[in-house]
Amino acid sequence: QVQLVESGGGLVEPGQSMIISCEVSDHNYRFGTMGWYRQAPGKAREPVATIGNSPSQPQNTIWYAESVKGRFTLAGCSGKNILYLEMENLRLEDSAVYLCVFNPPGIQFWGRGAQVTVSS
């Protein structure tokens, strides 16, 4: 069982920055996708940013939602199995619970989430 633990989150004002992180327990999966989703109250869970590879595409590919392109950046610390989400110029609509996910073929592992609140 792979475990994911998010850290960070909190309250910031519009325009400010925040970094959240996700530490993944050791595992033997060679391929998969890892990233961040978010869910605001009353809204569906949506993907924010992911990085992944597959047997047919072993080079990591990074994807960002249009709403966060240019403001959010994925960064990794592979030696420590940590994935960061660096968020800049935060907007009110970025407020949500941010969930880390690890998705090897055929299975998904989720963290419990980190609350990010953007408010003036």
Side-chain angles (χ1 to χ4, degrees), residues 1-6 21-38 45 47 49-55 60-61 74 78 81-83 98-113:
Q1 182 78 2
V2 178
Q3 294 184 331
L4 290 77
V5 179
E6 297 98 337
S21 65
C22 175
E23 184 167 2
V24 186
S25 61
D26 288 341
H27 60 81
N28 295 320
Y29 293 103
R30 289 188 59 203
F31 300 103
T33 299
M34 187 174 174
W36 294 91
Y37 279 60
R38 67 186 181 187
R45 188 174 294 184
T50 62
I51 180 169
N53 60 10
S54 67
N60 279 332
T61 300
L74 280 176
S78 59
N81 280 355
I82 299 177
L83 183 69
Y98 283 70
L99 301 116
C100 183
V101 61
F102 177 47
N103 181 198
I107 193 169
Q108 281 187 328
F109 301 98
W110 291 88
R112 294 192 173 187

Side-chain angles (χ1 to χ4, degrees), residues 48-110:
V48 175
T50 62
I51 180 169
N53 60 10
S54 67
S56 61
Q57 191 165 355
Q59 285 275 74
N60 279 332
T61 300
I62 298 177
W63 174 91
Y64 295 99
E66 284 296 323
S67 60
V68 306
K69 273 184 183 177
R71 300 187 299 121
F72 288 14
T73 304
L74 280 176
C77 184
S78 59
K80 295 185 178 180
N81 280 355
I82 299 177
L83 183 69
Y84 299 95
L85 184 65
E86 302 171 349
M87 303 180 287
E88 298 179 340
N89 192 20
L90 283 160
R91 304 169 180 169
L92 296 176
E93 57 265 34
D94 293 320
S95 295
V97 175
Y98 283 70
L99 301 116
C100 183
V101 61
F102 177 47
N103 181 198
I107 193 169
Q108 281 187 328
F109 301 98
W110 291 88

Side-chain angles (χ1 to χ4, degrees), residues 9-13 18 94-96 115-119:
L11 174 64
V12 294
E13 294 182 352
M18 178 185 289
D94 293 320
S95 295
Q115 177 69 49
V116 173
T117 303
V118 185
S119 176

